[in-house]
Amino acid sequence: GRQLERWPPRRVMLAANGLGSTCTLGLAFTLMMRPATLPPVLLCIALAAAAEAALVVTWSSQLARFVSTEQLGAASGLFAGSDGAVVMAAPLLGAVLAATAGLQGVLVTDSLTSLFAAACTLLVAWPQLPMACPADRAIAVEEKPPFELGGLRRTLVLLWRQAQWRPLLLLNTVVAGVLAAVEIAFPAWVVAASGSGRLMAALALAGIGYGAGIWLWARVPRASWLPVLRRVLLLQAVLLTGAGLVCFQDSLWLWFAAVAVFGTGVPIALGALQSLWLWWVPQGLQSRLFAGRYALEWGARLGALLGVSLLADGVIAPLLRNGAWPSWLLDALGRGPGRPAAV
C-alpha cells in the first residue's frame, strides 16, 4: 500500500495488467519447453500474483472517483460481486478451456484478458477528484493523514485500534474464510452424497441466485447497508448450520431452496462490506489501509483452502466414527458419504 501511493492509480493499474499479461505469457512459453524448469515457473507465478494484488488494492480504493454517492453502493456490489463470481466460475471455465485448448491456451487467454483490462483503463476518463465524497465520515479526508502510517504491520495495528474499523476488518476476514471453505466443502459434500448431477443443478441454481443478489443489492439504500449485512450474515449462518443436519439433505426442495438463498446472499454480503469500507475509510487512506484489509482477507482464504479438507477428514470424520458420542447426535449429523464435509 505504501509503495503504490507513489504512482498515480491509473499508472499502477496499467503496470499491473501489463506485468500480469507478460507473466502469464512467459509461463505459457516456459511450459512449452521440454522439460520445463521449476524456478522460472515459480517466478512467473509470484510476479503475476503480486501484480494481481496491486491491481485489486488500487482498483477497490478508486471506485469513489467514478460514481456519485448515490451510486456507490451499486458500484461496490458490482465490483465485489463480479470478483466473487470470477473466483467461483474460474475452476469450471478453466477446466473447460484446458480440455479444449490445453494449459497453454488457458494461459494465453488469461494474458489477453489482462491486455483487454489495460485497454479499458486507457479508454476511461479518469476524474481528478472523487465524485462520491460523503460529508459525515468519522475521519476527514486530508492531504496528510492525522496519524502516522508505516508498513503492513502498522497498518493492521491501526485498523484494529480504530473502533469503527475493527468490527469491519473482523467481519471481512471471517466472511472471506467461510466462503473459501464453502467453495471446497460444498462440492465435496454433494458429489460424495448425491453425485455430480445434483452438484451441477445446485451450481446452476446458485448462479441464478448470485445474479439475483447483485440485482437486489443495487437497490439497497445507503442507510440500510449495515442492517442488511447483519441480516444476510445471520441467514447464511442458519443455512450453513442446517447443512450439518442430515434431515435437510434428504428434503430435496428445502435443500435446493437453501442453496438458492445462500447464493443470493453472497453478493449482498460482499457488496455491503465493500460499500462500508469505501464509506468509512477516507479516500486518502484507502490504498494504504486496503492493503492491510486484503492481506488478512487473502490470508483467511488461503487458511480455509488449506485447512478445510484437513478439518473434515482428520478431525470431523474420526469424531463421527467414534462410538462414544450419543446416538441421537450421530443420527442428527449423519454417518453416510459426504457427512464430514457437510458438518
Side-chain angles (χ1 to χ4, degrees):
R2 180 171 54 180
Q3 301 301 325
L4 294 180
E5 289 181 346
R6 299 181 179 182
W7 282 17
R10 189 176 193 176
R11 189 181 303 173
V12 172
M13 295 179 64
L14 288 173
N17 281 309
L19 180 60
S21 178
T22 303
C23 289
T24 48
L25 279 179
L27 188 59
F29 287 127
T30 301
L31 294 176
M32 291 172 64
M33 299 169 57
R34 294 291 185 270
T37 54
L38 187 59
V41 172
L42 296 179
L43 178 62
C44 290
I45 292 175
L47 290 176
E52 177 67 17
L55 183 65
V56 171
V57 171
T58 303
W59 177 225
S60 64
S61 63
Q62 299 300 314
L63 288 178
R65 288 183 177 272
F66 297 93
V67 296
S68 63
T69 302
E70 292 75 18
Q71 297 173 319
L72 188 60
S76 299
L78 194 59
F79 168 81
S82 60
D83 183 63
V86 167
V87 169
M88 290 190 293
L92 177 61
L93 296 178
V96 172
L97 191 58
T100 56
L103 182 57
Q104 287 80 11
V106 174
L107 296 172
V108 171
T109 303
D110 188 19
S111 176
L112 294 176
T113 60
S114 296
L115 292 178
F116 178 75
C120 292
T121 305
L122 283 173
L123 293 174
V124 170
W126 203 278
Q128 295 298 320
L129 296 176
M131 296 177 64
C133 190
D136 56 345
R137 282 177 174 162
I139 302 174
V141 179
E142 300 180 3
E143 192 77 20
K144 295 181 180 179
F147 31 70
E148 183 181 356
L149 291 175
L152 181 60
R153 179 177 175 275
R154 298 189 67 175
T155 299
L156 291 173
V157 170
L158 173 63
L159 284 170
W160 188 256
R161 286 180 178 176
Q162 293 292 320
Q164 192 176 28
W165 299 339
R166 186 190 310 120
L168 189 57
L169 181 68
L170 183 61
L171 269 180
N172 194 93
T173 305
V174 171
V175 168
V178 169
L179 293 180
V182 170
E183 292 173 17
I184 300 298
F186 180 76
W189 165 34
V190 178
V191 169
S194 307
S196 58
R198 186 166 175 176
L199 176 62
M200 296 304 295
L203 292 178
L205 189 60
I208 295 173
Y210 198 96
I214 295 177
W215 181 84
L216 289 172
W217 172 251
R219 283 144 185 82
V220 176
R222 181 176 64 85
S224 302
W225 287 351
L226 188 56
V228 167
L229 175 62
R230 290 169 175 162
R231 292 166 188 161
V232 167
L233 291 182
L234 179 61
L235 177 60
Q236 289 184 314
V238 172
L239 294 176
L240 287 179
T241 304
L245 303 177
V246 71
C247 59
F248 295 111
Q249 177 179 307
D250 298 332
S251 179
L252 197 61
W253 69 270
L254 187 60
W255 187 87
F256 276 113
V259 170
V261 172
F262 187 89
T264 303
V266 171
I268 295 177
L270 296 178
L273 288 169
Q274 175 66 17
S275 299
L276 291 171
W277 276 112
L278 291 174
W279 192 257
W280 286 350
V281 177
Q283 175 74 30
L285 303 178
Q286 285 180 6
S287 61
R288 189 81 61 90
L289 297 181
F290 280 15
R293 162 201 171 186
Y294 280 112
L296 285 185
E297 178 178 325
W298 292 331
R301 287 185 57 84
L302 180 60
L305 294 175
L306 294 175
V308 65
S309 298
L310 296 176
L311 179 64
D313 298 332
V315 178
I316 296 178
L319 289 177
L320 293 180
R321 292 194 299 265
N322 191 343
W325 295 95
S327 59
W328 62 267
L329 178 60
L330 295 178
D331 291 339
L333 296 179
R335 313 184 198 189
R339 293 312 302 167
V343 173

